[in-house]
Amino acid sequence: MGLPDDLKKSIEGTIEQHNQELRTISLEIHDHPELGNKEFNASKVLTDYLEQHGFQVTRGVIGLDTAFIAEYSNGQPGRRIGFCSEYDALPNIGHGCGHNLIAIQGVACALAVKRLLEQKLISGSVTLFGTPAEESTCSKIKFVKEGEIQRRVDFCMMLHPNPKDSVFMKSLSLDQVDIEFFGKASHAGMAPWNGINALDALMQGFDNVGMLRQQTLPTNRIHGIIKKGGNSANVIPDYASAQFFVRATTRNQLQDLKTKLENCFKAAALATGCQIKISWSAQGQIDGKYIEYMNAKGVEIEDDLDVSASTDMGNISYVVPSLHPVYSIGTDAYNHTAEFTLAARTTEAHQKAMVAAVCLSMTAVDASLDATFFQQALDSFKRGKQQ
């Protein structure tokens, strides 16, 4: 059935009321890009604005200077609605993933739900999580580990700009690993036989991974860089290190791939006589209503958008029911390109972002009011965790 018209009008009216202010914030963040955990200007602009509009704001949460939590409750028992904002940029190309839009969409949704709570049209609370460094250290992981998500909300949502509109995006489970080899330094010209070459071990591990790729599922991804390879060409390196990302479609597949990756580097350590240290750092059915509301706005949703990207929103989806649709901003350019950076600043992108925010807000309020709908989402969430 969907929401009553008065609730829809309230959501649309609230977001329209703040539309130009949100556009100004978006441009401020876009035109002053900041890397992960250094988004001091973006975090201040967002938190100041939220505080001015009646949210209780806590800055510097989970031990991160640019993370925040903004909350509003009408003091009545009810569903606890959560949204996320991201606002970090990419090196060199700035907001090539459109996080300036993600930032204001979270604010727009929170404002729309807050208005309904103030009017006592719904009960409960709304929380906006300011989540830095999605592109690097993935703060949502820490939000989950610290229990802030599952302690404060019953479900959580966010939106992401893209060349296309979809809710059935296949994102990959992801873990990060740091690999270190410890050998023995020696003069490379006078007595190389006295050394134990940590860089050789690392390169052997890389070769092993290259051969492993042929034997893995086509949906798997393994990619890494050398962080340290020695200090001088004339000295056998006694230390070398690398960082890898490992991705798969499910956590079970990911665990299997992680074991195989470890064996690639353990074999190299054994062959060269090096010591090795492996340090892992985990990364990681509400959609029907969102599709319904987007269709009503004239937006067609693709049935299945198959991408090989990852997002730490996936970690949140393991602790509470979640929704993370992507939407077109009117460009054929892919994310993480200079062309997408330019597109994320356009008026068209902003307009499409606000339409998606309206539809996501309506979906959230539907889940808040319709107990059957929410239970279906909860059941789907529980089934998903078993995969």
Side-chain angles (χ1 to χ4, degrees), residues 118-138:
E118 289 173 331
Q119 296 171 336
K120 304 292 180 88
L121 295 174
I122 62 174
S123 300
S125 66
V126 60
T127 300
L128 177 63
F129 298 98
T131 60
E134 189 274 337
E135 299 289 358
S136 53
T137 57
C138 304

Side-chain angles (χ1 to χ4, degrees), residues 312-325:
D312 55 2
M313 186 64 181
N315 292 72
I316 290 180
S317 75
Y318 267 76
V319 295
V320 294
S322 302
L323 182 62
H324 185 209

Side-chain angles (χ1 to χ4, degrees), residues 25 28-29 34 38-52 57-60 65-68 87 103 107 130 132:
I25 292 172
E28 171 68 19
I29 293 173
E34 299 166 297
K38 296 180 181 178
E39 316 97 322
F40 298 107
N41 180 60
S43 180
K44 183 179 189 307
V45 168
L46 292 167
T47 54
D48 286 353
Y49 185 79
L50 289 159
E51 208 163 49
Q52 289 165 11
V57 177
T58 307
R59 299 169 174 84
D65 290 339
T66 56
F68 66 83
Y87 32 91
V107 175

Side-chain angles (χ1 to χ4, degrees), residues 265-298:
F265 287 100
K266 288 177 179 177
L270 180 64
T272 58
C274 288
Q275 300 297 311
I276 186 172
K277 180 180 179 182
I278 299 174
S279 306
W280 287 97
S281 176
Q283 298 300 64
Q285 296 295 335
I286 307 177
D287 42 41
K289 287 291 185 182
Y290 176 79
I291 293 172
E292 176 185 325
Y293 292 127
M294 287 290 276
N295 287 344
K297 297 291 185 182

Side-chain angles (χ1 to χ4, degrees), residues 18-259:
H18 296 282
N19 180 63
Q20 191 53 54
E21 296 169 352
L22 294 173
R23 171 73 169 154
T24 299
I25 292 172
S26 174
L27 294 179
E28 171 68 19
I29 293 173
H30 185 281
D31 294 347
H32 300 89
E34 299 166 297
L35 299 182
N37 295 314
K38 296 180 181 178
E39 316 97 322
F40 298 107
N41 180 60
S43 180
K44 183 179 189 307
V45 168
L46 292 167
T47 54
D48 286 353
Y49 185 79
L50 289 159
E51 208 163 49
Q52 289 165 11
H53 288 84
F55 286 86
Q56 179 180 336
V57 177
T58 307
R59 299 169 174 84
V61 297
I62 63 168
L64 300 178
D65 290 339
T66 56
F68 66 83
I69 295 174
E71 302 172 285
Y72 178 82
S73 171
N74 65 2
Q76 297 179 343
R79 201 73 66 197
R80 303 173 303 162
I81 300 172
F83 298 105
C84 289
S85 285
E86 298 171 0
Y87 32 91
D88 60 316
L90 291 157
N92 301 319
I93 63 171
H95 280 284
C97 212
H99 289 191
N100 58 301
L101 299 172
I102 298 175
I104 63 166
Q105 285 178 314
V107 175
C109 292
L111 287 167
V113 173
K114 177 177 177 287
R115 175 68 58 82
L116 295 176
L117 289 166
E118 289 173 331
Q119 296 171 336
K120 304 292 180 88
L121 295 174
I122 62 174
S123 300
S125 66
V126 60
T127 300
L128 177 63
F129 298 98
T131 60
E134 189 274 337
E135 299 289 358
S136 53
T137 57
C138 304
S139 67
K140 294 185 194 68
I141 297 171
K142 194 168 184 183
F143 269 102
V144 169
K145 287 184 175 180
E146 296 289 332
E148 294 293 350
I149 303 292
Q150 50 272 50
R151 182 162 53 242
R152 295 176 185 272
V153 299
D154 297 315
F155 60 90
C156 199
M157 300 178 169
M158 66 170 286
L159 291 157
H160 204 299
N162 193 266
K164 299 180 180 180
D165 295 281
S166 179
V167 296
F168 301 107
M169 182 182 72
K170 296 178 181 176
S171 62
L172 303 180
S173 298
L174 179 151
D175 274 1
Q176 172 185 311
V177 63
D178 288 295
I179 299 161
E180 299 173 279
F181 285 99
F182 303 89
K184 180 182 177 183
S186 181
H187 195 291
M190 294 178 61
W193 52 85
N194 287 331
I196 300 176
N197 197 316
L199 181 59
D200 280 353
L202 186 60
M203 297 309 296
Q204 283 190 38
F206 263 83
D207 288 343
N208 291 342
V209 170
M211 288 182 279
L212 170 66
R213 286 193 180 97
Q214 184 184 8
Q215 311 303 323
T216 65
L217 293 169
T219 50
N220 289 347
R221 300 288 186 272
I222 309 172
H223 42 96
I225 59 168
I226 296 174
K227 296 176 67 178
K228 182 76 173 181
N231 298 310
S232 170
N234 203 32
V235 177
I236 300 295
D238 63 350
Y239 176 81
S241 65
Q243 184 176 83
F244 273 78
F245 287 102
V246 185
R247 308 173 194 247
T249 54
T250 70
R251 296 301 300 185
N252 289 338
Q253 291 176 9
L254 184 64
Q255 187 56 52
D256 179 64
L257 190 60
K258 287 168 61 176
T259 299

